[in-house]
């Protein structure tokens, strides 16, 4: 402790001031270091982060931090006591259920007195007395001097225990000491044993010895930290590099089907850092705690609404047990304090009602109002808004003393928040690496197990029935003839398979070669006892496995069906191969000549029957509806299917043109109409302007073929987009009845469940879709959305990245969803780096300036944020000078002005934008974001309801601009539609 205090006389250039000084120290920390230095340092990180945040929140400035001790300077004794009580409450909640080693118990001493300022340091008797009081305090307790008590007794609703005058080391006069009692915590609401004994002795003989011990301990800890830090970071960086190299090799081996080599590499990871598996398990545990925390937060909100503040605080303490710095709980705690403050103020007003208050000028009233508002924003950690409020105050009085002190506090709070974010990001990075390894480990484990694939159902065995049947047929003469039939009925054979194209000698795929596997996949999806896995969207030949055996490994299926198309003059031949991944053998090679391409439905039916026969799968094969009698028309249909595999806008346009010609040539072609509806819906999702109504095409498809599963799938998607949710579910269920293994239906059901607020159902459907169609980026996007809506940001980030790797639009997906997941888990630098890369390509795009500025405000780095926001606003205004009717630019000008604190200008810009384009759904979502940033939550609710009423957009709902509003209780009911998504 001697490193924190001095007793020398002031030197020339020093100044004096009256300050409230707080000292803290951790109980038995040196002992914990001796037991487990690494674990002890992790506890110290948590302690330091929490102390800095709590101190900054109440305007404290950390002067020194040596070892496990803190010295904090407050301009107000009231704030010093508030900070100390808050810290003890947080640590008390954190310690519940912890072992003795895991607990963080601190002593706190506070004194208000004259101190000497020299540079960034302070010292003097005021400092020394605070240090001695900390030495007197018992762990988990707070000791204050008479001077502090005089300041707070009429301003705070606190109880104290008077310990009486105490003789303190190197202090000439005895100091009257009080121990603060915290009535909301039973064990801290009564005087400590040490305080009772001190009262009896009137002297604290052990304090000097304890203080000397603390000083030695602090020095020892600081030296250990300095020794360990450099070696620790060097070791950690080396570990990270080694793990990344090993993990990269493991992923490569897994992709090549070399599973044993992949597993060996993973084992090397666990040798490098045995904590990785524990970290993954801890991550799951924390996710479960977070779900429980949400229940506690809901209960706390309800108790606050009912006026039961003590019960609300009890619920928050449960959250703080596992998340000492939980932002949602912090906000509610502030609300509780505000409610208590209101009650105290009302009581104080009643007591002083007879006194004539001093009349304030309008300007003084405004200044006082702004000062109160800035303090409140600081306590809520809205540093940017607090700084903007002070700017408004300084315009009225540039030299306001209290405001200048508050300005310093805001900067200190920002620095504390950055430190906390650094600690959090380290943990997130470690959790991410652990999650990657756990995912790959899980994939390897799946290779070892013969699992029941999605869509397969084990027949429930009725043992009583079996016994009866066996008994009857045992007595019958024909037992040996009929027994196999009975067993086949009771235990039908099943399989899982994938259908793929085998390139010809030129390694290219024509329309039939590329679409035949898609058609056969749909045919097998209609069969009983067959789970068919879709191969996803077509890619380059380089991305395809090199053999049928490799396909079996990549898609984790028992059988692989390969088709090869060869054309010579006007003749077409189709070769079909069947591979058994388990026995690593070929089961079938068959060749069929095609004289008329329009007869392909019959040929497909024959192929399916033959393969089922070879596999001894007992499943009826429903006739495939004849498509068209015209070879030219059917060929155009296949070319349209081939174009749809490409997913880009020009390919969709081409497919649409072909299909329109197809249905014009043959109006009874049901599948062509269904595919035309699907093209129209895809263009809608890509925001491509299209006047065609998909419902018209769906109606034609179902008139021509009432059992067209693709038409029902398109109908379900159409109903979802049209917000006719009650009809969407039944249509999708009908499609699944006709084609049980349709991944697109499961993706749609997952989205429908999200809209209905059934997040568990959404996860189930998304998992099934992924199992059926693992290489389709849409499967990963939907899975990412499910995790995102469940606030599981790390897995959401992983899914979005997988989607991008499989061909999804990088910039579109990142801006719509990945940005939200990054910000949600604190990966702010990833968001900034992505946007800066975009900015190099599009240096005049004001939207990118906004995204960067917004992210810097989240970190928070206010100078950087203001730089990009001001640059973006300048560009936007130039755009509007050239075209005043640009509604999009006007709305972004509103966003820029909102984040820069120019709310009047912001409202004018947004009004102008909506006047120009009143029916724009995008602008309505953007307006909700503006109101959310301004914390006008009623207005935000109105705008969001209007936007959702026009179109339900996940990208609009997950917009980071809605972050503040999304924590409000009315947000979830607004984004949830009263529907019951089918199972």
């Amino acid at each position: 402790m001697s490193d924190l205090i001095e007793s020398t006389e002031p030197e020339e250039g020093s100044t004096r001031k009256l300050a409230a000084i707080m000292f803290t120290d951790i109980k038995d920390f040196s002992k914990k270091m001796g037991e487990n230095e690494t674990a002890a340092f992790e506890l110290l990180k948590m302690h330091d982060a929490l102390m800095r945040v709590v101190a900054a929140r109440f305007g404290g400035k950390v002067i020194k931090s040596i070892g496990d001790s803190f010295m904090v300077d407050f301009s107000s004794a009231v704030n010093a006591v508030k900070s100390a009580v808050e810290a003890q409450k947080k640590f008390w909640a954190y310690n519940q259920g912890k072992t003795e080693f895991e607990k963080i118990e601190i002593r706190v001493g506070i004194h208000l007195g004259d101190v000497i300022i020299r540079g960034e340091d302070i010292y003097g008797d005021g400092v020394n007395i605070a240090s001695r009081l900390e030495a007197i305090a018992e762990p988990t307790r707070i000791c204050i001097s008479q001077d502090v008590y005089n300041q707070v007794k009429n301003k705070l609703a606190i109880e104290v225990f008077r310990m009486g005058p105490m003789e303190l080391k190197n202090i000439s006069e005895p100091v009257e000491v009080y121990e603060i009692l915290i009535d909301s915590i039973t064990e801290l609401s009564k005087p400590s044993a040490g305080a009772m004994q001190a009262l009896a002795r009137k002297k604290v003989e052990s304090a000097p010895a304890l203080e000397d011990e603390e000083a030695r301990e602090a020095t020892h800890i600081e030296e250990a930290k300095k020794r360990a830090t450099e070696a620790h970071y060097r070791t950690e960086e080396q570990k990270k590099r080694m793990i990344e190299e090993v993990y990269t090799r493991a992923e490569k081996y897994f992709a090549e089907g070399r599973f044993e080599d992949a597993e060996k590499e993973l084992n090397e990871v666990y040798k490098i850092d045995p904590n990785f598996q524990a970290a993954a398990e801890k991550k799951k545990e924390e996710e479960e705690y977070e779900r429980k925390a949400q229940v506690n937060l809901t209960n706390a909100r309800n108790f606050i609404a009912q006026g039961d503040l003590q019960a609300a605080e009890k619920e928050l303490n449960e959250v703080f047990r596992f998340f000492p710095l939980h932002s949602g709980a912090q906000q509610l705690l502030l609300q509780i304090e505000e409610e208590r403050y209101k009650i105290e103020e009302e009581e104080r007003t009643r007591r002083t009602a007879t006194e004539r208050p001093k009349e304030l000028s309008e300007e003084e009233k405004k200044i006082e109002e702004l000062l109160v508002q800035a303090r409140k924003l600081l306590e809520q950690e809205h540093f940017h808004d607090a700084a903007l409020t002070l700017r408004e105050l300084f315009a009225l009085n540039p030299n306001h003393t209290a405001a200048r002190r508050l300005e310093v506090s805001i900067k200190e709070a920002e620095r504390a928040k950055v430190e906390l974010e650094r600690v959090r990001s380290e943990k997130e990075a470690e959790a991410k690496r652990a999650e990657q390894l756990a995912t790959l480990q899980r994939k390897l484990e799946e290779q070892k197990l013969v699992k029941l694939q999605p869509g397969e159902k084990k027949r429930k065995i009725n043992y009583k029935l079996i016994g009866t049947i066996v008994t009857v047929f045992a007595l019958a003469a024909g037992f040996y003839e009929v027994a196999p039939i009975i067993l086949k009925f009771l235990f039908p054979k099943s399989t899982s398979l994938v259908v793929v194209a085998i390139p010809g000698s030129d390694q290219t795929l024509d329309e039939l070669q590329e679409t035949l596997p898609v058609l056969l996949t749909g045919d097998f999806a209609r069969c009983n006892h067959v789970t068919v896995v879709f191969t996803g969207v077509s890619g380059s030949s380089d991305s395809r496995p090199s053999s049928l055996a490799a396909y079996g490994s990549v898609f984790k299926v028992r059988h692989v069906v390969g088709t090869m198309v060869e054309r010579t003059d006007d003749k077409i031949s189709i070769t079909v191969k069947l591979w058994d991944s388990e026995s690593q053998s070929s089961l079938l090679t068959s060749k069929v000549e095609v004289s008329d391409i329009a007869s392909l439905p019959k040929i497909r039916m024959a192929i399916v029957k033959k393969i089922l026969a070879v596999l001894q799968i007992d499943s009826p094969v429903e006739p495939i509806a004849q498509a068209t009698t015209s070879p030219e028309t059917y060929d155009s249909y296949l070319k349209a299917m081939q174009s749809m595999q490409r997913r880009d806008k020009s390919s969709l346009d081409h497919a649409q043109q072909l299909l329109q010609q197809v249905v014009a040539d043959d109006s009874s072609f049901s599948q062509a109409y269904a595919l035309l509806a699907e093209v129209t819906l895809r263009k809608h999702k890509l925001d491509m302007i299209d006047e065609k109504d998909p419902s018209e095409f769906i109606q034609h498809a179902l008139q021509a073929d009432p059992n067209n599963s693709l038409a029902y799938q398109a109908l379900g998607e159409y109903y979802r987009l049209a917000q006719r949710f009650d009809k969407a579910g039944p249509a999708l269920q009908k499609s699944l009845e006709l084609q049980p293994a349709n991944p697109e239906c499961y993706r749609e059901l997952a989205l429908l469940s999200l809209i209905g607020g059934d997040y568990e159902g959404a996860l189930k459907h998304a998992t099934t879709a992924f199992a059926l169609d693992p290489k389709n980026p849409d499967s990963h996007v939907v899975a990412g959305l499910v995790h995102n809506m469940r606030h599981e940001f790390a897995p959401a980030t992983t899914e979005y990245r997988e989607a991008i790797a499989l061909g999804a639009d990088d910039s579109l997906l990142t801006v719509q969803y990945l940005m939200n997941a990054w910000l949600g888990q604190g990966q702010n630098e990833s968001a900034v780096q992505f946007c800066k890369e975009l900015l190099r390509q599009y240096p005049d795009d004001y939207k990118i300036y906004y995204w960067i500025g917004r992210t810097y405000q989240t970190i928070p780095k206010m100078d950087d944020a203001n730089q990009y926001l001001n640059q973006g606003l300048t560009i936007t205004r130039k755009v509007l000078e050239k075209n005043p009717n640009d509604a999009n630019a006007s709305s972004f000008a509103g966003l820029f002005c909102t984040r820069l604190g120019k709310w009047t200008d912001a409202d004018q810009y947004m009004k102008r934008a909506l006047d120009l384009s009143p029916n724009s759904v995008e602008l309505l979502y953007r307006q909700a974001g503006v109101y959310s940033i301004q914390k006008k939550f009623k207005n935000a609710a109105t705008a969001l309801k209007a936007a959702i009423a026009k179109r339900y957009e996940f990208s609009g709902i997950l917009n980071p601009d809605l972050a503040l509003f999304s924590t409000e209780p009315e947000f979830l009911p607004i984004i949830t539609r009263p529907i019951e998504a089918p199972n």
Side-chain angles (χ1 to χ4, degrees), residues 17-50:
K17 73 169 185 176
L18 188 68
I21 304 299
M22 179 175 80
F23 269 85
T24 71
D25 188 80
I26 304 177
K27 171 192 173 186
D28 292 339
F29 187 74
S30 185
K31 177 183 175 184
K32 291 177 181 180
M33 281 187 60
E35 294 176 16
N36 186 334
E37 188 172 285
T38 301
F41 276 137
E42 287 302 312
L43 289 177
L44 187 60
K45 284 182 185 178
M46 171 63 75
H47 164 270
D48 289 359
L50 192 147

Side-chain angles (χ1 to χ4, degrees), residues 125-144:
D125 281 350
V127 174
N128 295 341
I129 293 173
S131 171
R132 312 298 184 232
L133 292 176
E134 178 270 305
I136 291 173
E138 292 285 300
T140 74
R141 300 294 184 144
I142 305 163
C143 282
I144 62 174

Side-chain angles (χ1 to χ4, degrees), residues 61 115 194 203 440-441 475 529 583 589 637 646 655 688 725 808 857 882 914 953 975:
K61 179 181 180 181
V115 297
K203 185 176 179 180
L440 186 54
Q441 183 70 60
L475 298 173
H529 316 307
S583 63
T589 299
Y637 169 72
R646 302 290 181 263
M688 297 172 66
F725 303 119
Q857 276 195 353
K882 293 180 181 179
L914 287 166
E953 289 282 4
I975 67 168

Side-chain angles (χ1 to χ4, degrees), residues 23 79 175 276 335 557 566 956:
F23 269 85
N79 280 355
V175 175
F276 256 106
Q335 193 175 339
V557 292
E566 296 173 300

Side-chain angles (χ1 to χ4, degrees), residues 337 358 481 695:
E337 290 177 358
K358 176 189 172 183
E481 294 181 10
S695 64

Side-chain angles (χ1 to χ4, degrees), residues 375-391:
R375 284 174 179 148
K376 181 179 176 182
L377 289 168
L378 171 59
E379 290 182 356
Q380 294 172 343
E381 296 183 11
H382 298 323
F383 307 127
H384 174 66
D385 295 340
L388 290 176
T389 304
L390 284 185
R391 285 186 198 174

Side-chain angles (χ1 to χ4, degrees), residues 280 638 759:
L638 293 179
Y759 293 169

